Amino acid sequence: MHLTRRATAILCAFVFLPSCGDDPELVARKEKQKTEIANLRGEIALLEEKLRDMPEDVSVQLEEAKKKEAEQKEEIERLESEIKDLQDQKRQLGTEFDTYRAKYQAN
């Protein structure tokens, strides 16, 4: 019976000890952490909303446009070179025609 009283006393000490109240500093820290967690959750929600509202990635279309631009520049250079060659040929033919007319003037 003596052991039962001791066991009961020890059990009561463990049961009633936490109910004496938590350390006020720990309670304040816990409340501060709860507030910080709530703020961080709010920030996360805002960031997730911003991520959903972001425009789609256009890097693939940008690369395709750059490739097309390079091809068009090459085509322009080729055409400009062809135009220059044709203009040179036109001048040469004009000179030859003038020489021919001077040689064979029609009366």
Side-chain angles (χ1 to χ4, degrees):
M1 186 140 208
H2 192 55
L3 282 175
T4 317
R5 282 188 196 171
R6 272 193 193 167
T8 306
I10 292 173
L11 184 61
C12 286
F14 283 122
V15 170
F16 293 114
L17 186 62
S19 66
C20 292
D22 291 331
D23 184 13
E25 184 180 328
L26 292 176
V27 171
R29 192 183 295 169
K30 184 177 179 181
E31 291 302 318
K32 183 179 178 183
Q33 288 175 347
K34 282 183 181 180
T35 304
E36 287 180 26
I37 289 171
N39 288 338
L40 291 173
R41 284 186 176 152
E43 289 178 22
I44 289 173
L46 287 174
L47 290 173
E48 287 175 344
E49 184 176 331
K50 285 181 181 180
L51 283 174
R52 282 191 302 268
D53 294 339
M54 284 183 67
E56 66 180 63
D57 185 16
V58 293
S59 59
V60 173
Q61 292 91 343
L62 182 61
E63 287 299 319
E64 290 174 0
K66 285 180 180 180
K67 189 184 298 183
K68 189 173 183 178
E69 177 189 20
E71 291 170 358
Q72 288 176 344
K73 282 183 179 181
E74 289 176 9
E75 180 70 10
I76 289 171
E77 290 173 4
R78 186 187 65 75
L79 290 172
E80 287 175 343
S81 175
E82 187 177 329
I83 288 171
K84 185 179 180 289
D85 291 344
L86 289 172
Q87 287 173 338
D88 291 343
Q89 186 179 3
K90 178 183 171 187
R91 270 190 236 104
Q92 182 183 2
L93 288 173
T95 304
E96 288 177 13
F97 181 68
D98 291 342
T99 304
Y100 178 81
R101 266 197 328 196
K103 189 175 182 181
Y104 301 102
Q105 285 185 354
N107 290 349

